[in-house]
Amino acid sequence: MTWDLVSSRVDMHGYLNFKPDPEYWLNANNTYRVIFIQDQASWFVITGHDFIVDAHASGGINGNGQTWWSFYGNRSRSDGDGRPVSLTLSNVTRGVIKNFRIEAQPFWCNAVADSKDVVYDGMYCNATNQDPLYAGQNVVPNTDGINTYRSDRVSLLRFDITCGDDCLAIKGNSTNIVAKDITCRGGNGIAFGSLGQYVDLPDIVDNVVMEDIKMIRLDPQVQPNMVSGVYLKTWTGTVHGSPPTGGGGGGGFVSNVVAKRVSLDRVTVPIHLYQTNGGHSGDEPSKLQFSNLTFSDWTGSSLRNTIVDIECSAAVPCPNIRFHDVDIAPPNGTAPSYKCINVASEFGLPACNATGTS
């Protein structure tokens, strides 16, 4: 379904209910693809300009995800296989989504692509498995809260995301992004990437400010994962196959990122950067550079004693990595550890070795 909204206001007081029939939606004749990245399919697409969609915290989308999660319990998944994004904003200018609820998203909850001047103000997504057969497992992968792609000036305000993957995912060519008052319940944390998947298409991420972030670990029988606060990842500099499932070798840069006032509840790796996604031993290093990253006012706890693990590419070491008031408790009886590899310059965390060795 597509709405093309122009100078419009829509008030929603109920749920769009998508038929829980995976085999129907996975049929190529029934998929609708407007997102270039990884050739993803969409269910409900909004395009246009100068609109407001307000669901008043009492309406939105019911994705009937349990049918999907159980369907895939013993099947393999891959990017671009047709699992649908619940709500997609595509080619939008000056659009607002307010107080919107998405229950049981089978795949990504939201995506915004090829858009500018977009505000999400109040977004609730809840991917919680209730099938006892899969208790204690992450049977809800890829249920990201939102993916941003090829979009400028996007505000993500008051998000409450329960998922088994990325709470927020900032993908390529996302610029001037603000995320504020974000609660992530389970999953992988907030992601930058993956980036550098398309060898001929540079990924640029610039000017991202995130503040007032909470990571909450759930009952492990419901969702076993709460991996990171923020993690950043690229493919290697060597191409392995082609997108949507393979790739690599892409360039670009990530710069001017601030993550402040972040609270962690027993995450696995609080701050993580790596540039080996999808790679193999002997690959060329990534040529996509990270610079001007600031982590400020971080509190809470980690399940491991490695609090910071930043491993930049040898081809493009990371300059100007800054830490202010990072106070994360390691497990009882252990000393915190900090790793900075191929970091050209680091400030505020003397224990993090910035010489290029572990």
Side-chain angles (χ1 to χ4, degrees):
M1 180 171 63
T2 298
W3 290 358
D4 184 25
L5 301 179
V6 176
S7 301
S8 305
R9 178 184 175 92
V10 178
D11 292 285
M12 294 180 64
H13 298 282
Y15 285 86
L16 301 168
N17 199 320
F18 283 90
K19 183 179 180 181
D21 185 348
E23 293 181 340
Y24 171 82
W25 293 111
L26 292 172
N27 185 319
N29 293 325
N30 301 323
T31 59
Y32 182 44
R33 301 177 189 270
V34 300
I35 304 169
F36 173 81
I37 184 76
Q38 298 168 339
D39 197 28
Q40 306 295 13
S42 295
W43 257 343
F44 179 24
V45 178
I46 300 178
T47 66
H49 63 85
D50 300 288
F51 64 77
I52 298 175
V53 176
D54 190 343
H56 300 276
S58 62
I61 293 171
N62 187 341
N64 293 297
Q66 188 64 64
T67 299
W68 289 81
W69 308 326
S70 297
F71 174 83
Y72 273 105
N74 57 4
R75 293 176 170 88
S76 62
R77 305 167 172 86
S78 62
D79 282 319
D81 60 11
R83 288 171 294 153
V85 179
S86 295
L87 176 62
T88 300
L89 301 192
S90 175
N91 288 290
V92 165
T93 302
R94 296 182 300 278
V96 177
I97 305 294
K98 287 190 69 174
N99 299 316
F100 204 94
R101 297 177 66 87
I102 300 178
E103 302 279 0
Q105 67 271 21
F107 187 61
W108 297 357
C109 198
N110 293 274
V112 55
D114 304 291
S115 298
K116 59 184 178 182
D117 298 309
V118 170
V119 176
Y120 293 84
D121 185 5
M123 174 59 65
Y124 172 88
C125 301
N126 185 1
T128 300
N129 171 58
Q130 296 181 334
D131 185 340
L133 183 63
Y134 301 107
Q137 303 177 44
N138 180 22
V139 75
V140 296
N142 309 124
T143 50
D144 303 14
I146 190 169
N147 280 247
T148 69
Y149 180 63
R150 288 181 174 171
S151 294
D152 185 39
R153 298 190 299 274
V154 176
S155 294
L156 312 174
L157 312 175
R158 298 190 302 120
F159 273 48
D160 191 323
I161 307 298
T162 300
C163 72
D165 215 295
D166 297 334
C167 181
L168 313 177
I170 311 299
K171 292 194 182 296
N173 300 299
S174 297
T175 53
N176 299 303
I177 309 295
V178 173
K180 184 176 174 61
D181 191 7
I182 309 294
T183 300
C184 306
R185 305 177 192 273
N188 292 344
I190 294 176
F192 284 73
S194 58
L195 303 168
Q197 183 175 9
Y198 292 79
V199 65
D200 54 345
L201 297 173
D203 282 331
I204 294 172
V205 175
D206 193 19
N207 194 24
V208 178
V209 177
M210 302 179 296
E211 55 188 0
D212 301 318
I213 312 294
K214 292 181 182 178
M215 303 292 165
I216 299 175
R217 181 171 288 276
L218 301 175
D219 181 337
Q221 289 299 298
V222 175
Q223 172 53 249
N225 296 343
M226 185 67 260
V227 180
S228 289
V230 172
Y231 75 110
L232 310 94
K233 59 179 177 175
T234 75
W235 293 65
T236 68
T238 298
V239 178
H240 294 288
S242 59
T245 55
F253 67 84
V254 176
S255 190
N256 302 310
V257 172
V258 175
K260 61 183 179 180
R261 295 194 297 277
V262 179
S263 172
L264 307 178
D265 176 14
R266 294 166 292 162
V267 304
T268 307
V269 185
I271 298 172
H272 195 193
L273 188 158
Y274 59 98
Q275 300 200 245
T276 54
N277 187 66
H280 298 83
S281 176
D283 278 2
E284 291 294 317
S286 171
K287 294 180 175 62
L288 193 153
Q289 185 178 50
F290 291 89
S291 65
N292 305 319
L293 310 181
T294 299
F295 305 93
S296 179
D297 298 319
W298 284 56
T299 60
S301 56
S302 172
L303 291 184
R304 297 179 184 172
N305 72 325
T306 300
I307 306 303
V308 172
D309 184 358
I310 294 182
E311 302 185 36
C312 302
S313 168
V316 280
C318 301
N320 196 26
I321 309 301
R322 294 180 176 269
F323 302 92
H324 303 282
D325 298 323
V326 174
D327 184 15
I328 301 165
N332 286 339
T334 66
S337 172
Y338 308 94
K339 181 187 293 185
C340 290
I341 297 176
N342 297 318
V343 174
S345 54
E346 173 275 321
F347 303 91
L349 197 64
C352 206
N353 179 6
T355 65
T357 60
S358 59

PDB file of all heavy atoms in Angstrom, residues 276-304:
ATOM      1  N   THR A 276      35.628  -5.145   9.471  1.00  0.00           N
ATOM      2  CA  THR A 276      35.845  -6.471   8.894  1.00  0.00           C
ATOM      3  C   THR A 276      34.547  -7.208   8.635  1.00  0.00           C
ATOM      4  O   THR A 276      34.539  -8.430   8.471  1.00  0.00           O
ATOM      5  CB  THR A 276      36.723  -7.309   9.833  1.00  0.00           C
ATOM      6  OG1 THR A 276      36.122  -7.324  11.153  1.00  0.00           O
ATOM      7  CG2 THR A 276      38.130  -6.745   9.929  1.00  0.00           C
ATOM      8  N   ASN A 277      33.420  -6.493   8.553  1.00  0.00           N
ATOM      9  CA  ASN A 277      32.125  -7.139   8.338  1.00  0.00           C
ATOM     10  C   ASN A 277      32.138  -7.885   6.992  1.00  0.00           C
ATOM     11  O   ASN A 277      32.505  -7.324   5.961  1.00  0.00           O
ATOM     12  CB  ASN A 277      31.020  -6.085   8.331  1.00  0.00           C
ATOM     13  CG  ASN A 277      29.639  -6.711   8.282  1.00  0.00           C
ATOM     14  OD1 ASN A 277      29.221  -7.372   9.217  1.00  0.00           O
ATOM     15  ND2 ASN A 277      28.930  -6.512   7.184  1.00  0.00           N
ATOM     16  N   GLY A 278      31.731  -9.135   7.008  1.00  0.00           N
ATOM     17  CA  GLY A 278      31.668  -9.921   5.779  1.00  0.00           C
ATOM     18  C   GLY A 278      33.013 -10.266   5.189  1.00  0.00           C
ATOM     19  O   GLY A 278      33.096 -10.703   4.028  1.00  0.00           O
ATOM     20  N   GLY A 279      34.089 -10.086   5.949  1.00  0.00           N
ATOM     21  CA  GLY A 279      35.424 -10.241   5.397  1.00  0.00           C
ATOM     22  C   GLY A 279      36.044 -11.601   5.644  1.00  0.00           C
ATOM     23  O   GLY A 279      35.488 -12.465   6.324  1.00  0.00           O
ATOM     24  N   HIS A 280      37.243 -11.772   5.058  1.00  0.00           N
ATOM     25  CA  HIS A 280      38.025 -12.987   5.207  1.00  0.00           C
ATOM     26  C   HIS A 280      39.472 -12.618   5.522  1.00  0.00           C
ATOM     27  O   HIS A 280      39.925 -11.518   5.227  1.00  0.00           O
ATOM     28  CB  HIS A 280      37.991 -13.809   3.915  1.00  0.00           C
ATOM     29  CG  HIS A 280      36.626 -14.273   3.515  1.00  0.00           C
ATOM     30  ND1 HIS A 280      35.744 -13.476   2.821  1.00  0.00           N
ATOM     31  CD2 HIS A 280      35.994 -15.447   3.717  1.00  0.00           C
ATOM     32  CE1 HIS A 280      34.628 -14.145   2.596  1.00  0.00           C
ATOM     33  NE2 HIS A 280      34.751 -15.345   3.136  1.00  0.00           N
ATOM     34  N   SER A 281      40.188 -13.554   6.071  1.00  0.00           N
ATOM     35  CA  SER A 281      41.605 -13.353   6.346  1.00  0.00           C
ATOM     36  C   SER A 281      42.334 -13.026   5.041  1.00  0.00           C
ATOM     37  O   SER A 281      42.116 -13.667   4.013  1.00  0.00           O
ATOM     38  CB  SER A 281      42.198 -14.618   6.969  1.00  0.00           C
ATOM     39  OG  SER A 281      43.582 -14.479   7.165  1.00  0.00           O
ATOM     40  N   GLY A 282      43.169 -12.007   5.075  1.00  0.00           N
ATOM     41  CA  GLY A 282      43.911 -11.606   3.894  1.00  0.00           C
ATOM     42  C   GLY A 282      43.231 -10.554   3.040  1.00  0.00           C
ATOM     43  O   GLY A 282      43.789 -10.114   2.030  1.00  0.00           O
ATOM     44  N   ASP A 283      42.044 -10.123   3.430  1.00  0.00           N
ATOM     45  CA  ASP A 283      41.350  -9.069   2.688  1.00  0.00           C
ATOM     46  C   ASP A 283      42.127  -7.758   2.725  1.00  0.00           C
ATOM     47  O   ASP A 283      42.864  -7.481   3.686  1.00  0.00           O
ATOM     48  CB  ASP A 283      39.962  -8.809   3.284  1.00  0.00           C
ATOM     49  CG  ASP A 283      38.921  -9.803   2.791  1.00  0.00           C
ATOM     50  OD1 ASP A 283      39.283 -10.710   2.022  1.00  0.00           O
ATOM     51  OD2 ASP A 283      37.752  -9.664   3.198  1.00  0.00           O
ATOM     52  N   GLU A 284      41.924  -6.942   1.708  1.00  0.00           N
ATOM     53  CA  GLU A 284      42.423  -5.581   1.741  1.00  0.00           C
ATOM     54  C   GLU A 284      41.676  -4.805   2.825  1.00  0.00           C
ATOM     55  O   GLU A 284      40.474  -5.020   3.043  1.00  0.00           O
ATOM     56  CB  GLU A 284      42.212  -4.899   0.390  1.00  0.00           C
ATOM     57  CG  GLU A 284      43.088  -5.447  -0.722  1.00  0.00           C
ATOM     58  CD  GLU A 284      44.550  -5.164  -0.479  1.00  0.00           C
ATOM     59  OE1 GLU A 284      44.888  -4.029  -0.065  1.00  0.00           O
ATOM     60  OE2 GLU A 284      45.374  -6.084  -0.695  1.00  0.00           O
ATOM     61  N   PRO A 285      42.351  -3.882   3.519  1.00  0.00           N
ATOM     62  CA  PRO A 285      41.648  -3.097   4.539  1.00  0.00           C
ATOM     63  C   PRO A 285      40.657  -2.121   3.914  1.00  0.00           C
ATOM     64  O   PRO A 285      40.824  -1.679   2.778  1.00  0.00           O
ATOM     65  CB  PRO A 285      42.777  -2.355   5.258  1.00  0.00           C
ATOM     66  CG  PRO A 285      43.881  -2.292   4.253  1.00  0.00           C
ATOM     67  CD  PRO A 285      43.779  -3.538   3.428  1.00  0.00           C
ATOM     68  N   SER A 286      39.640  -1.815   4.666  1.00  0.00           N
ATOM     69  CA  SER A 286      38.630  -0.856   4.206  1.00  0.00           C
ATOM     70  C   SER A 286      39.253   0.514   3.977  1.00  0.00           C
ATOM     71  O   SER A 286      40.167   0.924   4.688  1.00  0.00           O
ATOM     72  CB  SER A 286      37.524  -0.736   5.258  1.00  0.00           C
ATOM     73  OG  SER A 286      36.639   0.325   4.941  1.00  0.00           O
ATOM     74  N   LYS A 287      38.730   1.232   2.989  1.00  0.00           N
ATOM     75  CA  LYS A 287      39.159   2.604   2.732  1.00  0.00           C
ATOM     76  C   LYS A 287      38.129   3.619   3.218  1.00  0.00           C
ATOM     77  O   LYS A 287      38.220   4.799   2.890  1.00  0.00           O
ATOM     78  CB  LYS A 287      39.441   2.791   1.237  1.00  0.00           C
ATOM     79  CG  LYS A 287      40.633   1.972   0.740  1.00  0.00           C
ATOM     80  CD  LYS A 287      40.883   2.181  -0.743  1.00  0.00           C
ATOM     81  CE  LYS A 287      42.148   1.451  -1.193  1.00  0.00           C
ATOM     82  NZ  LYS A 287      42.053  -0.005  -1.001  1.00  0.00           N
ATOM     83  N   LEU A 288      37.155   3.168   3.973  1.00  0.00           N
ATOM     84  CA  LEU A 288      36.145   4.060   4.541  1.00  0.00           C
ATOM     85  C   LEU A 288      36.633   4.506   5.917  1.00  0.00           C
ATOM     86  O   LEU A 288      36.867   3.676   6.798  1.00  0.00           O
ATOM     87  CB  LEU A 288      34.799   3.340   4.633  1.00  0.00           C
ATOM     88  CG  LEU A 288      33.567   4.197   4.914  1.00  0.00           C
ATOM     89  CD1 LEU A 288      32.308   3.528   4.335  1.00  0.00           C
ATOM     90  CD2 LEU A 288      33.373   4.444   6.396  1.00  0.00           C
ATOM     91  N   GLN A 289      36.768   5.824   6.102  1.00  0.00           N
ATOM     92  CA  GLN A 289      37.407   6.343   7.312  1.00  0.00           C
ATOM     93  C   GLN A 289      36.386   6.872   8.320  1.00  0.00           C
ATOM     94  O   GLN A 289      35.428   7.566   7.962  1.00  0.00           O
ATOM     95  CB  GLN A 289      38.377   7.468   6.966  1.00  0.00           C
ATOM     96  CG  GLN A 289      39.171   7.958   8.180  1.00  0.00           C
ATOM     97  CD  GLN A 289      40.158   9.039   7.838  1.00  0.00           C
ATOM     98  OE1 GLN A 289      39.814  10.024   7.191  1.00  0.00           O
ATOM     99  NE2 GLN A 289      41.415   8.858   8.255  1.00  0.00           N
ATOM    100  N   PHE A 290      36.649   6.571   9.596  1.00  0.00           N
ATOM    101  CA  PHE A 290      35.914   7.158  10.713  1.00  0.00           C
ATOM    102  C   PHE A 290      36.758   8.262  11.327  1.00  0.00           C
ATOM    103  O   PHE A 290      37.965   8.085  11.540  1.00  0.00           O
ATOM    104  CB  PHE A 290      35.623   6.096  11.779  1.00  0.00           C
ATOM    105  CG  PHE A 290      34.640   5.046  11.358  1.00  0.00           C
ATOM    106  CD1 PHE A 290      35.078   3.888  10.722  1.00  0.00           C
ATOM    107  CD2 PHE A 290      33.287   5.203  11.585  1.00  0.00           C
ATOM    108  CE1 PHE A 290      34.182   2.907  10.336  1.00  0.00           C
ATOM    109  CE2 PHE A 290      32.382   4.234  11.209  1.00  0.00           C
ATOM    110  CZ  PHE A 290      32.827   3.078  10.571  1.00  0.00           C
ATOM    111  N   SER A 291      36.137   9.403  11.636  1.00  0.00           N
ATOM    112  CA  SER A 291      36.867  10.497  12.285  1.00  0.00           C
ATOM    113  C   SER A 291      35.890  11.334  13.099  1.00  0.00           C
ATOM    114  O   SER A 291      34.669  11.310  12.873  1.00  0.00           O
ATOM    115  CB  SER A 291      37.564  11.378  11.245  1.00  0.00           C
ATOM    116  OG  SER A 291      36.620  12.036  10.416  1.00  0.00           O
ATOM    117  N   ASN A 292      36.448  12.075  14.065  1.00  0.00           N
ATOM    118  CA  ASN A 292      35.649  13.030  14.842  1.00  0.00           C
ATOM    119  C   ASN A 292      34.453  12.348  15.509  1.00  0.00           C
ATOM    120  O   ASN A 292      33.302  12.744  15.326  1.00  0.00           O
ATOM    121  CB  ASN A 292      35.179  14.187  13.949  1.00  0.00           C
ATOM    122  CG  ASN A 292      36.321  14.866  13.239  1.00  0.00           C
ATOM    123  OD1 ASN A 292      37.386  15.089  13.811  1.00  0.00           O
ATOM    124  ND2 ASN A 292      36.126  15.171  11.962  1.00  0.00           N
ATOM    125  N   LEU A 293      34.746  11.310  16.282  1.00  0.00           N
ATOM    126  CA  LEU A 293      33.724  10.596  17.044  1.00  0.00           C
ATOM    127  C   LEU A 293      33.856  10.979  18.511  1.00  0.00           C
ATOM    128  O   LEU A 293      34.957  10.935  19.070  1.00  0.00           O
ATOM    129  CB  LEU A 293      33.888   9.084  16.897  1.00  0.00           C
ATOM    130  CG  LEU A 293      34.032   8.503  15.494  1.00  0.00           C
ATOM    131  CD1 LEU A 293      34.161   6.979  15.566  1.00  0.00           C
ATOM    132  CD2 LEU A 293      32.873   8.908  14.598  1.00  0.00           C
ATOM    133  N   THR A 294      32.731  11.330  19.151  1.00  0.00           N
ATOM    134  CA  THR A 294      32.749  11.740  20.557  1.00  0.00           C
ATOM    135  C   THR A 294      31.757  10.908  21.352  1.00  0.00           C
ATOM    136  O   THR A 294      30.576  10.799  20.981  1.00  0.00           O
ATOM    137  CB  THR A 294      32.395  13.233  20.686  1.00  0.00           C
ATOM    138  OG1 THR A 294      33.352  14.019  19.975  1.00  0.00           O
ATOM    139  CG2 THR A 294      32.393  13.660  22.152  1.00  0.00           C
ATOM    140  N   PHE A 295      32.247  10.336  22.454  1.00  0.00           N
ATOM    141  CA  PHE A 295      31.419   9.547  23.367  1.00  0.00           C
ATOM    142  C   PHE A 295      31.467  10.244  24.720  1.00  0.00           C
ATOM    143  O   PHE A 295      32.528  10.312  25.347  1.00  0.00           O
ATOM    144  CB  PHE A 295      31.947   8.120  23.453  1.00  0.00           C
ATOM    145  CG  PHE A 295      32.059   7.439  22.120  1.00  0.00           C
ATOM    146  CD1 PHE A 295      33.256   7.479  21.405  1.00  0.00           C
ATOM    147  CD2 PHE A 295      30.977   6.783  21.563  1.00  0.00           C
ATOM    148  CE1 PHE A 295      33.370   6.861  20.172  1.00  0.00           C
ATOM    149  CE2 PHE A 295      31.070   6.157  20.319  1.00  0.00           C
ATOM    150  CZ  PHE A 295      32.271   6.202  19.621  1.00  0.00           C
ATOM    151  N   SER A 296      30.326  10.741  25.177  1.00  0.00           N
ATOM    152  CA  SER A 296      30.307  11.610  26.356  1.00  0.00           C
ATOM    153  C   SER A 296      29.214  11.190  27.329  1.00  0.00           C
ATOM    154  O   SER A 296      28.079  10.895  26.919  1.00  0.00           O
ATOM    155  CB  SER A 296      30.071  13.059  25.891  1.00  0.00           C
ATOM    156  OG  SER A 296      30.018  13.937  26.970  1.00  0.00           O
ATOM    157  N   ASP A 297      29.564  11.145  28.611  1.00  0.00           N
ATOM    158  CA  ASP A 297      28.598  10.859  29.678  1.00  0.00           C
ATOM    159  C   ASP A 297      27.940   9.496  29.487  1.00  0.00           C
ATOM    160  O   ASP A 297      26.724   9.379  29.339  1.00  0.00           O
ATOM    161  CB  ASP A 297      27.524  11.962  29.759  1.00  0.00           C
ATOM    162  CG  ASP A 297      28.114  13.312  30.103  1.00  0.00           C
ATOM    163  OD1 ASP A 297      29.004  13.370  30.959  1.00  0.00           O
ATOM    164  OD2 ASP A 297      27.704  14.313  29.484  1.00  0.00           O
ATOM    165  N   TRP A 298      28.771   8.457  29.529  1.00  0.00           N
ATOM    166  CA  TRP A 298      28.291   7.082  29.445  1.00  0.00           C
ATOM    167  C   TRP A 298      28.362   6.455  30.834  1.00  0.00           C
ATOM    168  O   TRP A 298      29.388   6.537  31.511  1.00  0.00           O
ATOM    169  CB  TRP A 298      29.162   6.272  28.479  1.00  0.00           C
ATOM    170  CG  TRP A 298      28.891   6.559  27.025  1.00  0.00           C
ATOM    171  CD1 TRP A 298      28.933   7.756  26.388  1.00  0.00           C
ATOM    172  CD2 TRP A 298      28.567   5.588  26.035  1.00  0.00           C
ATOM    173  NE1 TRP A 298      28.646   7.607  25.065  1.00  0.00           N
ATOM    174  CE2 TRP A 298      28.415   6.278  24.811  1.00  0.00           C
ATOM    175  CE3 TRP A 298      28.397   4.201  26.046  1.00  0.00           C
ATOM    176  CZ2 TRP A 298      28.092   5.633  23.617  1.00  0.00           C
ATOM    177  CZ3 TRP A 298      28.079   3.551  24.869  1.00  0.00           C
ATOM    178  CH2 TRP A 298      27.930   4.260  23.666  1.00  0.00           C
ATOM    179  N   THR A 299      27.265   5.809  31.239  1.00  0.00           N
ATOM    180  CA  THR A 299      27.195   5.147  32.539  1.00  0.00           C
ATOM    181  C   THR A 299      26.566   3.770  32.372  1.00  0.00           C
ATOM    182  O   THR A 299      26.016   3.442  31.325  1.00  0.00           O
ATOM    183  CB  THR A 299      26.367   5.962  33.538  1.00  0.00           C
ATOM    184  OG1 THR A 299      25.039   6.126  33.026  1.00  0.00           O
ATOM    185  CG2 THR A 299      26.970   7.335  33.789  1.00  0.00           C
ATOM    186  N   GLY A 300      26.664   2.974  33.442  1.00  0.00           N
ATOM    187  CA  GLY A 300      26.006   1.672  33.434  1.00  0.00           C
ATOM    188  C   GLY A 300      26.983   0.535  33.576  1.00  0.00           C
ATOM    189  O   GLY A 300      28.042   0.676  34.199  1.00  0.00           O
ATOM    190  N   SER A 301      26.647  -0.623  32.980  1.00  0.00           N
ATOM    191  CA  SER A 301      27.408  -1.840  33.236  1.00  0.00           C
ATOM    192  C   SER A 301      27.612  -2.646  31.967  1.00  0.00           C
ATOM    193  O   SER A 301      26.831  -2.581  31.024  1.00  0.00           O
ATOM    194  CB  SER A 301      26.683  -2.698  34.284  1.00  0.00           C
ATOM    195  OG  SER A 301      25.351  -2.975  33.862  1.00  0.00           O
ATOM    196  N   SER A 302      28.699  -3.435  32.001  1.00  0.00           N
ATOM    197  CA  SER A 302      29.064  -4.296  30.885  1.00  0.00           C
ATOM    198  C   SER A 302      29.234  -5.727  31.386  1.00  0.00           C
ATOM    199  O   SER A 302      29.698  -5.946  32.503  1.00  0.00           O
ATOM    200  CB  SER A 302      30.364  -3.804  30.249  1.00  0.00           C
ATOM    201  OG  SER A 302      30.850  -4.723  29.290  1.00  0.00           O
ATOM    202  N   LEU A 303      28.899  -6.696  30.547  1.00  0.00           N
ATOM    203  CA  LEU A 303      29.092  -8.094  30.918  1.00  0.00           C
ATOM    204  C   LEU A 303      30.532  -8.539  30.728  1.00  0.00           C
ATOM    205  O   LEU A 303      30.928  -9.600  31.230  1.00  0.00           O
ATOM    206  CB  LEU A 303      28.167  -8.995  30.088  1.00  0.00           C
ATOM    207  CG  LEU A 303      26.666  -8.892  30.368  1.00  0.00           C
ATOM    208  CD1 LEU A 303      25.907  -9.909  29.534  1.00  0.00           C
ATOM    209  CD2 LEU A 303      26.360  -9.093  31.842  1.00  0.00           C
ATOM    210  N   ARG A 304      31.315  -7.762  29.985  1.00  0.00           N
ATOM    211  CA  ARG A 304      32.721  -8.068  29.787  1.00  0.00           C
ATOM    212  C   ARG A 304      33.551  -6.890  30.254  1.00  0.00           C
ATOM    213  O   ARG A 304      33.056  -5.775  30.370  1.00  0.00           O
ATOM    214  CB  ARG A 304      33.003  -8.366  28.309  1.00  0.00           C
ATOM    215  CG  ARG A 304      32.278  -9.576  27.758  1.00  0.00           C
ATOM    216  CD  ARG A 304      32.593  -9.783  26.286  1.00  0.00           C
ATOM    217  NE  ARG A 304      31.825 -10.886  25.715  1.00  0.00           N
ATOM    218  CZ  ARG A 304      31.790 -11.178  24.416  1.00  0.00           C
ATOM    219  NH1 ARG A 304      32.485 -10.436  23.560  1.00  0.00           N
ATOM    220  NH2 ARG A 304      31.067 -12.192  23.978  1.00  0.00           N
TER     221      ARG A 304
END
